[in-house]
């Protein structure tokens, strides 16, 4: 079946602009995660959803970052007033469930964001 | 913040040799997973080992977990050029917690 998909693959924007990154999880997966990966580093957690609600948003770096998942499937990560330091690969992952019986997280190909 | 630390940071071996990568972590875990990443893009899940397991195999992969030492190792046997990638360990704790990744080991397998 189809895996996790993310659009766009690459996004170049100017400092101060607004961007939206989209994630389509695997059908039926209730848990959805956003991570950010800088060059030479491992992915760092941003936010995760269980269904429609954000169960943990403690990884969001500041209030310029926001994410939604209105129907419990597709999620959008929104970044306002982008800064050069926001440049990174943004990864989305989904899993069948979360919590104590957490299953494997399946990752999408990522969106490479470059802020000029 | 990153919990896991992979060792070594980079590893270069000849095709056919075995590759061993280690991961250490700081706090108690529920599961430990290993992922592979090519060219800085999507991560591919390799294997998950639960905190009550000590060893797990999948094809040419062997993972061990020592919770008393808070460490894990990934062994790739009979390596191939296609195994060239970055390898990350990731842990999650009990309850609703996300994965915490290390910085990864960059493996180069030379044909």
């Amino acid at each position: 079946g189809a895996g996790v998909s993310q659009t766009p693959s690459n996004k170049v924007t100017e400092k101060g602009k607004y961007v939206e990154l989209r994630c389509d999880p695997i059908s039926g997966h209730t848990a959805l995660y956003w991570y950010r990966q800088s060059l030479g580093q491992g992915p760092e957690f941003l936010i995760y959803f269980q269904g429609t609600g954000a169960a943990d948003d403690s990884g969001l770096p500041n209030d310029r970052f926001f994410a939604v998942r209105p129907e419990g499937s597709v999620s959008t990560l929104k970044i306002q007033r982008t800064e050069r330091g926001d440049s990174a690969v943004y990864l989305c992952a989904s899993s069948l469930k979360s919590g104590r019986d957490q299953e494997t997280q399946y990752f999408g190909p990522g969106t490479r964001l470059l802020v000029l | 913040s990153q919990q896991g630390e992979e060792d070594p940071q980079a590893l270069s071996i000849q095709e056919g040799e075995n590759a061993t990568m280690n991961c250490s972590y700081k706090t108690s875990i529920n599961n430990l997973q290993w992922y592979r990443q090519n060219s800085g893009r999507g991560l591919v899940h390799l294997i998950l080992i639960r905190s009550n397991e000590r060893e797990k195999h999948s094809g040419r992969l062997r993972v061990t977990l020592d919770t008393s030492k808070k460490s894990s190792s990934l062994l790739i046997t009979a390596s191939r050029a296609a195994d060239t990638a970055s390898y990350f360990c990731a842990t999650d704790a009990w309850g609703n917690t996300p994965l915490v990744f290390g910085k990864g080991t960059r493996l180069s397998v030379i044909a």
Side-chain angles (χ1 to χ4, degrees):
Chain A
V4 178
S5 62
Q6 292 186 245
T7 54
S9 297
N10 296 280
K11 176 70 177 178
V12 180
T13 191
E14 293 179 344
K15 180 176 178 296
K17 299 290 187 182
Y18 168 82
V19 296
E20 288 189 352
L21 312 179
R22 176 188 168 106
C23 172
D24 263 286
I26 293 172
S27 178
H29 280 195
T30 58
L32 183 147
Y33 307 79
W34 283 100
Y35 296 84
R36 178 170 71 173
Q37 185 176 23
S38 300
L39 195 62
Q41 303 292 315
E44 292 191 318
F45 166 73
L46 295 176
I47 184 171
Y48 104 83
F49 292 86
Q50 184 62 37
T52 60
D56 182 350
D57 64 358
S58 62
L60 294 177
N62 51 60
D63 61 6
R64 295 186 298 104
F65 289 74
F66 188 71
V68 295
R69 194 187 186 199
E71 297 177 358
S73 179
V74 170
S75 176
T76 304
L77 178 66
K78 308 179 181 191
I79 310 174
Q80 298 177 322
R81 305 182 305 279
T82 52
E83 300 177 356
R84 293 193 179 88
D86 298 335
S87 297
V89 176
Y90 289 81
L91 296 163
C92 175
S94 69
S95 68
L96 199 53
K97 50 188 172 180
S98 184
R100 184 183 179 90
D101 297 320
Q102 178 166 185
E103 298 291 335
T104 300
Q105 292 186 25
Y106 295 91
F107 282 78
T111 294
R112 190 181 302 277
L113 175 66
L114 177 61
V115 182
L116 300 175
Chain B
S1 63
Q2 303 198 283
Q3 143 134 282
E5 288 290 335
E6 286 90 344
D7 167 51
Q9 292 186 354
L11 178 63
S12 184
I13 59 174
Q14 296 289 324
E15 203 167 32
E17 294 181 338
N18 295 340
T20 300
M21 289 160 271
N22 303 296
C23 167
S24 60
Y25 55 92
K26 299 172 186 173
T27 60
S28 296
I29 64 169
N30 180 24
N31 304 303
L32 185 143
Q33 304 185 49
W34 284 91
Y35 285 84
R36 183 184 72 211
Q37 186 177 43
N38 291 84
S39 305
R41 296 309 288 260
L43 289 99
V44 174
H45 180 258
L46 296 176
I47 199 164
L48 178 153
I49 186 166
R50 302 196 186 278
S51 60
N52 61 353
E53 297 176 313
R54 291 296 167 259
E55 188 170 312
K56 210 161 183 180
H57 296 81
S58 176
R60 294 185 295 113
L61 306 179
R62 173 177 169 255
V63 168
T64 62
L65 178 64
D66 187 336
T67 53
S68 67
K69 295 181 179 178
K70 292 186 169 61
S71 67
S72 172
S73 68
L74 170 67
L75 168 68
I76 304 174
T77 60
S79 63
R80 305 166 182 168
D83 295 329
T84 295
S86 290
Y87 291 81
F88 294 90
C89 70
T91 59
D92 66 81
W94 293 102
N96 294 331
T97 64
L99 292 177
V100 181
F101 286 83
K103 293 185 178 181
T105 292
R106 293 185 307 280
L107 173 67
S108 296
V109 181
I110 302 166

